[in-house]
Amino acid sequence: MEQILANGLYLGAQYALIALGLTLIFSLMNVLNFAHGQMYVMGGFVTYTVVAQFGLPFIVGLLASAVVLAVIGAVCERFLFRTVIKRSKREESTMLLAAGIAFFLDAVILLVFGEKQRGVPKIVDGVFNWDMRLIMPYDRILIGALAIAMVVGFILFMQYSRTGRAMRALAQDRMAAQLMGVDVDRYSMIGFALGAMLAGIVGGLLVTITGINLGMGGPTSVKAFLMIMIGGAGVISGAIAGGFILGMMESIGLTLLAAYGDVTYLAIFATLLVFLAIRPQGLMGKPWG
Amino acid sequence: ENATLKIGFVGVTSGPAAAWGISNQRSMETRAAWLNELGGVQIGDTTYNIEIVAFDDQKDPKRAIAGMEKMAQDGIHYVVGPNVDDGAAAVRPVAEQNGIMYFPYAFPKELYTAPASNAILGMVANYQSGPAIYKHLMETKGVKKVAFVAANESDPLSQRDSGVEAAKALGLEVVSDSVTYQVDTTDFTPVLLPVIQSAPDLLVLSGVSPANAPQLIRSARELGYTGLISTETAQDAQVLQEGAGELANGFISVGGASTPELASDAMKEFVERYTAMFGEYNDESNTKVYALEYIIETLKANPAAIDNVEEFKKTMDTFEAANPFMVGDAKLTYVGTSSFGQKRQVSVPLVVNEFQNGAFQTLFVAKVD
Amino acid sequence: MGQMLNFDNVELFYDHVYALKGVSIDLNEGETVALIGANGAGKSSILRAITGLRKIKSGRIDFMGERLDGTAPADIVRKGIAMVPEGRRVFPFMSVKDNLLMGAFTRSDKADIARTLDSILTRFPRLKERYNQQAGTLSGGEQQMMVIGRALMAKPRLLLLDEPSLGIAPKLVQDIARAIVAISRDEKVSVLLVEQNSRMALSISNRAYALSTGSVVLSGESKALMNDDRIKAAYLGGEV
Amino acid sequence: MTPILQVKGITKRYGGLTAVNEVSFDVAEGEILSVIGPNGAGKSTLFKLISSFVTPTSGEVLFKGDRISGLAPHQVARKGVVRTFQETTIFRSMTVRENVIVAHHLRSRASLLGFFLGTSLARQDEAEFGASADGIIDFLGMGAIRDELASNLPQGHLRALGMAIGLATNPRILLLDEPFAGMNHDETMRMVGLVRRLRDERGVTVLLVEHDMPAVMKISDRIVVINFGQKIAEGTPAEIQSNEKVIEAYLGSEDAAIGM
Amino acid sequence: MTTPKIPNSVPTSFGNSAASRPGSLGPARLAGVAAFLALVFVAVPLGIAASGRWDFYYTLTSVALLSIASAGVWLTFYIGRINIGQGAYALAGGYVSAVLITQVGMSFWLTLPLAGLACAGLAVLIGLPILRLRGVYFAMVTLVLTEVARLSALALPVTNGAKGITSIPLPGELSVLGLTIIPDFATLEDPKLAFYLVAVALMCLSYLALWRIVNSRLGHLCRSLQQNEELAASIGVNTAHLRVLAYAISSFFGGVAGAMFVSISQSIYPSSFQVADSVNFMLNCFLGGLGYVFGPMLGTLLLYFGWDLLFTTGQYQMLIYSSAMIVLMLVLPNGLLSLFDRKGGGK
Ligand SMILES: Nc1ncnc2c1ncn2[C@@H]1O[C@H](COP(=O)(O)OP(=O)(O)OP(=O)(O)O)[C@@H](O)[C@H]1O
Ligand SMILES: Nc1ncnc2c1ncn2[C@@H]1O[C@H](COP(=O)(O)OP(=O)(O)OP(=O)(O)O)[C@@H](O)[C@H]1O
Ligand SMILES: [Mg+2]
Ligand SMILES: [Mg+2]
């Protein structure tokens, strides 16, 4: 039992961080960022390069991931999404663009970082073992704690900083935010960069545990979509809740349903469909039109 | 000027599964460049330069068919690939209609058993390596109970099923065989917990991808598992080292078809040339270099096969040539009679490795018939 | 009393809709000017043109002797123009406090902001009571108070109000009208007021313009307009 | 004569808020009845209840004696109770004529499959709809903008189009939510005339919500006044204008507005 | 009596050719249709025979089949829903056909419509709850649906799990009253041409159906739904019913395309249609243009051929392909066919 909860919490923390970036971008620009998973992979590879290739400390790698992804996010917003949003008749056109960017990043990652699985050495060794009731390696505890710290940091930033407030205002009412003197273009760009950065940071954090490879992008995006559907798209608390709920469901499902074979994810999906049929806007979301 | 002999490759070289096809394509290109540098290959009275025509099927069976059509269009009769079960099955009609021999890296027996006759398995299948490994471990390590985990995808699942079958046939007790995971799992602890609790002596990671292997090993060890861990697929030593470090020590896997003890000078040169061309070597290419070699050598043995695969098939039964990549007097021959009832498999040595401190050491070498 | 805003022969389009057909209005320092007219007459469009939310096609807009059109909305706020938009547009998932602080987005002096915040909370005690409540759950009247407060947080020299009485019960309309008068008097803010409730608008403004389908049809002292028969017929709904 | 529409003690609560509270009134066939009241009083909600876009918390609406509360909106529309929207709701990327033609849906005799196959009945239907749409468009004086894209229309025409859509469904009762908003005095008076003709020539019963008092007073046979969800008065225009409660809650006394 | 004329400023049909009336077959349109039919049924086979590029048969067959599935996706766009789940129905259709052929021994030609119908039925069941969702929610749910289909194919006994169904026989003879309409494919020298002809015939039928839907009352109602569901309800449209109907038709197309593919590859695996396919179906629609019936056909042609043409660029294939897609999006965010708008629309 303790083990299930701990696993769920650890998974939930990293999921929440992934979902946060996605939901931030969605709330600011109404863009469903298909390339989110690829950005995560990119972050992993940057940290890998800095840590394993250049031999620099892990924290430097993490910072590098953050910076590189923030720049990529900013560029995507400034030169791609902004133009397409202005020119297209239907909002959904951004989906094609996002998918194109996902393919593009996949290609770039393949060319730059290669097709192989990469990993960096463990940052801390040892395993926490409480009487066989709860087993958790220390590096996972550390990463989980870091992820939770970042989620908290992000919430505080959005809640109390000027920039955070501006972005929340932007998400709630673009026009009113403009009237408050918020430069909407600039803050959209910052928001997009921030969202991409979060994806990159998760990639950098997890490369120490799961390693990274080209194939992780797509499935990560799908999982992130799941989370924001559970919690409600475009709502920060929803993303966090969605992340932790999915983490718990996975942890519980894998333990309880192990005997039945391959059904955990089917069960999760089925639950989700039923849940959305009852509550189309997710846990905390607003109905979307 | 030499004539050109085109050899095809249809497989996945982009997207998530790029690793599988890329090692294929690169080992073919390395070998072709090398042969051309030596003045080409003489088949019959003609000397040919080898040209590799590669098609990226994006791991999509529908695209794989298009790739095979493209090969047919180019007048190509010998194709390496595809890399996965569904692609290999999907191209079968095209290959048969257009007279193409193809060398899939996929295990379904129907591909190689009559009435199918155009596919040649390019490596050792898990249902061949599995029993060999289990038997070895039963004899040397006293293994009695075995557990299987596999990713929830076609290839690994069918490999698990045949592994379970083989283990039962050997009289092993299978204590867990229903646990699966999504390939994108980031934490294997919940996945492995019930498996470890079933207390096996041997944990088999069926069809595990290089990406998942280190994590699975790590999780199992961190959960306190002390038994043996093995897989029937090839792995990358560096990936294991980066991903699991010393926790991966003792991990048993099927190696590329060449270990230091077996590798000839030609294999060493191949590795050098590959590294020079593409920056980084991939151990799997030890196996994947063979397909091209088999094609060329068989054509040399029967030049009439150059545009007639029926001739090729005839030659296969009796074909034998020197194996340049192995020391000693190893031979290139076609095998597979016991698995498929006909010779539809290249003979590469089955090398079983054990991971120790960042490198593979040969545990034993066997042959498939 | 110097001229503050000059809106000169402005034309404005929405795709194919010709919304402003050469409108000229002006406003002096300290003055309250009302814009009245039917729905779709172009009143909001004038405000959108001033705040830069919508580009004008031709004509020019000057504020304090500087050209305004072509400036980005954020910079226009910095110049001292704040707007209460049509339909209030609160940030529904933010607290009253954060909504008000958003109003001071262009200002950086923390102490000064705190002073302004204090004075606004003193002026609208209801907001103090609801300080940490989500703005979306406020009643319409409270929301209207809040967005006026939010606009004042920018310490504007010119306050643009778009239909502050919309959705407000008649009693609250009076409160708001009183607040507008008090603000323009106490804070030395000029006010450009767009109103459907022409009676209220005319009673609290110095001058007024009446618009119809994108053109100014009448203008003058509010008191005089109040007794103008045409205005009575078209906007005051005759004798009720 | 039984009333064509009966609203019986209808109540709608949203969470803690009672938007409409125990409202009852009858509407006679061929009557023009206005509902007035301050913003947020519950008028639009009342219309939504009658057209069954929302289900009442309690109470019911009867149309020709049959209960229609609880039916799906399209079923109520099918019976002849049709609502236009307060917001200018139209199909934005269709032309005026397409808007009106599509709104003839209820009158189709051919099935969707029939339309797909283009049976003669379907073609007959289409032809009729076209003709009828042209009739409605001319009736409302929109002939000149027949082929204009709806999203390009000015405010006033949007209202008219909304009404045309309502008319196309061949309603027995038409619910108009603020049909005169966005119109100048002249336009309003023309529209008033139209609504009258609608009743006189087509026998349609009209319920309307409107803030334009001169128009309301001119057009209505009867007026119902709502405040904070409750009915506070009901009567002829003359009665309502002199009702103290109404003046206090809605119309306002003149010097109160000016007295500052 | 005049049939209603829908003015050409509303892009509902290919090219918006000024004189045409979408509801009926005017001479200009008739000529266009004839030219198109001649192109796909005569010119293409002749061209291929002349050039010897036999591989184009499969490429074009794929384009035809994928464009059928895309047409379904387009129809869900038409009711205002973003559908990234067509892969699920293609897979389901493929399995229905494969199972019926291999386990029941049914003729392929019978399984083809059955696969479509089964998918339509499935779509009704799934659509009833999920069609209440809108916007990105619906999009994300359908994306998940593709994954559900794959996992189900792995888990269900009838699909033979991970091993897939292989060695499916080629389509047999189709005869009506003893008259052979389509010969047994196994007896053909090379079934490529036969598959091509069947696929384009299906494509033509599908697009004819789609075009009829869009230009009949059903299409008008779908558009009304797309633009304003509340208003549609108030004019008496049974919106829930219509949504499910459109979704079922859409899935029917998906199922038919999937079944047809199975007969070509003679095998099916849980991974035969995956998320990537679903995304591609959606992209085909976007790329061609959501406002045009023939958009998905053009989009499929371009995306599919684009990839094939870039096959010589080796390791840069993906990079060039995705860059081209991004550039296209920047230049023509409303789809390729919006080019015609500027020329023909004349506003
Ligand atoms: N975003 C827009 N797109 C197209 N037309 C618009 C848009 N906004 C306003 N219009 C049109 O421009 C004209 C003037 O609109 P404006 O909002 O300025 O009127 P208004 O006088 O403020 O009316 P109201 O009293 O309804 O607020 C109207 O015909 C309106 O329909
Ligand atoms: N879906 C809803 N959920 C919660 N509250 C609602 C909902 N719809 C309406 N209300 C509330 O019910 C009350 C009545 O609203 P309604 O729209 O009926 O007013 P109205 O009389 O039409 O006003 P107006 O003159 O402004 O159109 C308002 O307080 C409104 O906020
Ligand atoms: Mg306005
Ligand atoms: Mg209302």
Side-chain angles (χ1 to χ4, degrees), chain A residues 2-25:
Chain A
E2 292 87 353
Q3 185 72 49
I4 296 177
L5 286 181
N7 286 338
L9 211 60
Y10 161 72
L11 275 174
Q14 63 190 51
Y15 284 175
L17 210 48
I18 296 177
L20 269 184
L22 188 68
T23 220
L24 177 66
I25 291 174

Coordinates of all heavy atoms in Angstrom, one line a residue, chain A residues 2-25:
Chain A
E2 N 1.8 1.3 1.0 CA 2.7 2.5 1.0 C 3.4 2.6 -0.3 O 3.6 3.7 -0.8 CB 3.7 2.3 2.2 CG 3.1 2.4 3.5 CD 2.6 1.0 4.0 OE1 2.6 0.1 3.2 OE2 2.2 0.9 5.2
Q3 N 3.8 1.4 -0.8 CA 4.6 1.4 -2.1 C 3.8 2.0 -3.2 O 4.3 2.8 -4.0 CB 5.0 -0.1 -2.4 CG 5.9 -0.2 -3.6 CD 7.3 0.3 -3.3 OE1 7.9 -0.1 -2.3 NE2 7.9 1.1 -4.1
I4 N 2.5 1.6 -3.3 CA 1.7 2.1 -4.3 C 1.5 3.6 -4.3 O 1.7 4.3 -5.3 CB 0.3 1.4 -4.3 CG1 0.4 -0.1 -4.5 CG2 -0.7 2.0 -5.3 CD1 -0.9 -0.8 -4.3
L5 N 1.3 4.1 -3.1 CA 1.2 5.5 -2.9 C 2.5 6.2 -3.3 O 2.4 7.2 -4.0 CB 0.8 5.8 -1.5 CG -0.7 5.5 -1.1 CD1 -0.9 5.9 0.4 CD2 -1.6 6.3 -2.0
A6 N 3.6 5.7 -2.8 CA 4.8 6.4 -3.1 C 5.1 6.4 -4.6 O 5.5 7.4 -5.1 CB 6.0 5.6 -2.3
N7 N 4.9 5.2 -5.2 CA 5.1 5.2 -6.7 C 4.2 6.2 -7.4 O 4.6 6.9 -8.3 CB 4.7 3.8 -7.2 CG 5.8 2.8 -6.9 OD1 6.9 3.2 -6.6 ND2 5.4 1.5 -6.8
G8 N 2.9 6.2 -6.9 CA 2.0 7.2 -7.6 C 2.4 8.6 -7.4 O 2.3 9.4 -8.3
L9 N 2.9 8.9 -6.2 CA 3.3 10.3 -5.9 C 4.5 10.6 -6.8 O 4.6 11.7 -7.3 CB 3.7 10.3 -4.4 CG 3.5 11.7 -3.8 CD1 2.0 12.0 -3.8 CD2 4.0 11.6 -2.3
Y10 N 5.5 9.7 -6.9 CA 6.6 10.0 -7.7 C 6.3 10.2 -9.2 O 6.7 11.2 -9.8 CB 7.6 8.8 -7.5 CG 8.7 8.8 -8.6 CD1 9.7 9.7 -8.7 CD2 8.6 7.8 -9.6 CE1 10.7 9.6 -9.7 CE2 9.6 7.7 -10.6 CZ 10.6 8.7 -10.6 OH 11.5 8.6 -11.6
L11 N 5.5 9.3 -9.7 CA 5.0 9.4 -11.1 C 4.2 10.7 -11.2 O 4.4 11.5 -12.2 CB 4.1 8.3 -11.5 CG 4.8 7.0 -11.9 CD1 3.8 5.9 -12.1 CD2 5.5 7.3 -13.2
G12 N 3.3 10.9 -10.3 CA 2.5 12.1 -10.3 C 3.3 13.4 -10.4 O 2.9 14.3 -11.1
A13 N 4.3 13.5 -9.6 CA 5.1 14.7 -9.6 C 5.7 15.0 -11.0 O 5.6 16.2 -11.4 CB 6.2 14.6 -8.5
Q14 N 6.2 14.0 -11.6 CA 6.8 14.3 -12.9 C 5.8 14.5 -13.9 O 5.9 15.4 -14.8 CB 7.8 13.2 -13.3 CG 7.1 11.8 -13.5 CD 8.1 10.7 -13.7 OE1 9.0 10.6 -12.9 NE2 8.0 10.0 -14.8
Y15 N 4.7 13.8 -13.9 CA 3.6 14.0 -14.8 C 3.0 15.4 -14.7 O 2.7 16.1 -15.7 CB 2.5 13.0 -14.6 CG 2.8 11.6 -15.1 CD1 1.9 10.6 -14.8 CD2 3.9 11.3 -15.8 CE1 2.1 9.3 -15.3 CE2 4.2 10.1 -16.3 CZ 3.3 9.0 -16.0 OH 3.5 7.8 -16.5
A16 N 2.8 15.8 -13.4 CA 2.3 17.2 -13.2 C 3.1 18.2 -13.9 O 2.6 19.2 -14.5 CB 2.1 17.4 -11.7
L17 N 4.4 18.1 -13.7 CA 5.3 19.1 -14.3 C 5.2 19.1 -15.9 O 5.2 20.1 -16.5 CB 6.7 18.7 -13.9 CG 7.7 19.9 -13.8 CD1 7.1 21.0 -12.9 CD2 9.0 19.3 -13.1
I18 N 5.0 17.9 -16.4 CA 4.8 17.8 -17.9 C 3.5 18.5 -18.3 O 3.5 19.3 -19.2 CB 4.8 16.4 -18.4 CG1 6.2 15.7 -18.1 CG2 4.5 16.3 -19.9 CD1 6.3 14.3 -18.5
A19 N 2.5 18.2 -17.6 CA 1.2 18.7 -17.9 C 1.1 20.2 -17.7 O 0.4 20.9 -18.4 CB 0.1 18.0 -17.0
L20 N 1.8 20.7 -16.7 CA 1.8 22.2 -16.5 C 2.2 23.0 -17.7 O 1.6 23.9 -18.1 CB 2.8 22.5 -15.3 CG 2.2 22.5 -13.9 CD1 3.3 22.9 -13.0 CD2 1.0 23.4 -13.9
G21 N 3.3 22.5 -18.3 CA 3.8 23.3 -19.5 C 2.8 23.2 -20.6 O 2.5 24.2 -21.3
L22 N 2.2 22.1 -20.8 CA 1.2 21.9 -21.9 C 0.0 22.8 -21.6 O -0.5 23.5 -22.5 CB 0.8 20.4 -22.0 CG -0.1 20.1 -23.1 CD1 0.7 20.2 -24.4 CD2 -0.7 18.7 -23.0
T23 N -0.5 22.8 -20.4 CA -1.7 23.5 -20.1 C -1.4 25.0 -20.1 O -2.3 25.8 -20.5 CB -2.3 23.1 -18.7 OG1 -3.7 23.0 -18.8 CG2 -1.9 23.9 -17.6
L24 N -0.2 25.4 -19.7 CA 0.1 26.8 -19.8 C 0.0 27.4 -21.2 O -0.6 28.4 -21.5 CB 1.5 27.1 -19.2 CG 2.0 28.5 -19.3 CD1 1.2 29.4 -18.4 CD2 3.5 28.6 -18.9
I25 N 0.6 26.6 -22.1 CA 0.6 27.0 -23.5 C -0.8 27.0 -24.0 O -1.3 27.9 -24.7 CB 1.5 26.1 -24.4 CG1 3.0 26.3 -24.0 CG2 1.3 26.3 -25.9 CD1 3.9 25.3 -24.7

